[in-house]
Amino acid sequence: MRASLPLTVDRAAGVPLHLQLAEQIRAAIRDGRLQSGHRLPSTRDLAREVEVSRAVAQAAYDQLHAEGWIAGRTGSGTYVADVAPLPPEPHRAQPSRLRDPAGPKPLTLRPGIPFIARTPDPGWRRAWREVSGQSPPRGYEDAAGLPDLRAALAEHVGRVRGIACGPENLVVTNGTVHGLHLLLSTTLTAGDRIAMEDPGYVSAANAAHAHRVEIVDVPVDADGLQVAQLPDDVAAAYVTPSHQYPLGGRLPVARRNELVRWARRTGATLIEDDYDSEFRYDVAPLPALAQLDLDRVVHLGTLSKMLSPSLRLGWLVASTAVADRITAYREHTSDWPAWPMQAALLAMLRDGYLDRLVRRSSRLYADRRNLTCRLLAPYGRVVGQDAGLHITLLLPDHVDDDALAAKARAAGIAVAPLSDYRRTIPGPPGLVIGYATPSDEDLLTALKLLAGLLAASRP
């Protein structure tokens, strides 16, 4: 049955037209006016009925599809997904003045966590159906990862990141931090020195501490790591050149070349955390650092931003000597990802699902990035907005970002102060604001509350 709804748009509302349409359809699904299996009008018909462009109608459907509210059927059209409506809340007595012990609903603006739809994506379902139809291996898996998966990953990183490699260069990991642990265990020894960006990725620094490796803090600027500040007496340097975490600098080609020359001269290992390389909005991606010299660079990738951090799945690309050393180490630790997860990733790569997911999610995140920048730009300087799932808002020097984050938590908003990412090198206060995780409604609510706190912090 084709659904018919009185949809309208208000061009003076200050909210993008496609978001207005998406919210009206979403509300109709929530309250049961649209039910699972209802067929929605085509984008052409919707555009004509509401008097908007077809691109606006398509963007509204893309938004709802990314959130799991609707699904497409090949050759048939677009339908409401299997989402049960929320029942009306029963009448309750007037609450007392005592605070609910559960507290207010938390709205998370923490960085690094993607949006997870309410219902599984068809591509996700297809991958697991394929896995469920296979018999598991008779013995233990290859310590480097399934051979077919490593071959598919070699093709993937060659195509999307420009790294010329084969399956012999790939090791399947439990994610970026796990790959870093493997590398530190097999390449460095206690007491060695490793250069790291400051401010930088806290989990990477924790991994170095766990291996009793001494961290040498190196400053970053608007372009990322300041290569000229690297000392010569370190065994390795950990960098996030695609989107420096957390400030968002994009290491330019000249600095990449300088960094590789430094590694060749000193003999240091470059550890490339390919953080946020998948999602770019206003600029084309630069090829991976590992493309320049796979003998000196070890490349770490992950599925956490594309699918979910909870999958604990990623990859490491290195020279055959390094990959073989790590594989031999894992023969003793047996800490490789389980076969079903590896097989599912292989199915997703073969099906083209990951490519489609990145394209669809990029549209969703670009809209959220724009909204976040627009609402928060009056209160500081936005940096890192060209890529990824977060922006960083640099604040005036008089602002205490720890205290501001604490006030946000008290108001029900989880947000990270920039001071959490600093170690020894001082810099301006700020907030690291993720915009991917919440729903559209929750994101707007959280940003408005945060804007109110920022306005109140002005002298």
Side-chain angles (χ1 to χ4, degrees), residues 8 104 336 357 382:
T8 61
W336 52 81
L357 179 64
V382 174

Side-chain angles (χ1 to χ4, degrees), residues 76-122:
S76 177
T78 302
Y79 293 79
V80 176
D82 186 13
V83 182
L86 288 174
E89 187 176 14
H91 176 74
R92 293 183 297 179
Q94 184 70 18
S96 71
R97 291 181 178 272
L98 293 177
R99 183 178 178 183
D100 182 349
K105 176 185 177 182
L107 303 173
T108 181
L109 296 179
R110 303 288 298 190
I113 304 174
F115 178 79
I116 307 297
R118 296 164 66 101
T119 57
D121 185 280

Side-chain angles (χ1 to χ4, degrees), residues 254-319:
R255 282 200 196 177
R256 291 171 185 242
N257 292 337
E258 183 184 0
L259 184 56
V260 170
R261 286 194 296 268
W262 169 85
R264 289 172 176 171
R265 178 174 57 81
T266 63
T269 298
L270 294 177
I271 306 171
E272 176 184 32
D273 182 343
D274 203 33
Y275 185 81
D276 278 350
S277 66
E278 304 93 346
F279 301 110
R280 308 207 69 83
Y281 308 118
D282 301 321
V283 293
L286 286 170
L289 191 64
Q291 182 200 45
L292 300 177
D293 191 338
L294 199 55
D295 289 331
R296 295 257 56 93
V297 180
V298 177
H299 177 92
L300 303 176
T302 180
L303 280 181
S304 64
K305 307 302 184 298
M306 287 184 276
L307 286 171
S308 168
S310 63
L311 298 179
R312 314 309 303 168
L313 200 61
W315 51 87
L316 178 153
V317 187
S319 67

Side-chain angles (χ1 to χ4, degrees), residues 222 376-385 391-396 428-431:
L376 300 185
Y379 307 103
R381 181 162 65 91
V382 174
V383 297
Q385 67 267 39
I391 59 99
T392 296
L393 185 70
L394 299 181
L395 299 170
L431 296 176

Side-chain angles (χ1 to χ4, degrees), residues 17-18 21 25 42-48 50 52-64:
L17 301 184
H18 73 283
L21 290 177
I25 296 172
S42 67
T43 55
R44 188 186 305 276
D45 289 344
L46 178 62
R48 184 175 59 251
V50 188
V52 296
S53 71
R54 191 175 179 184
V56 168
Q58 183 63 58
Y61 279 2
D62 286 345
Q63 180 85 21
L64 294 167

Side-chain angles (χ1 to χ4, degrees), residues 243-256:
H243 191 227
Q244 197 278 327
Y245 189 74
L247 296 182
R250 182 174 183 243
L251 201 66
V253 171
R255 282 200 196 177
R256 291 171 185 242

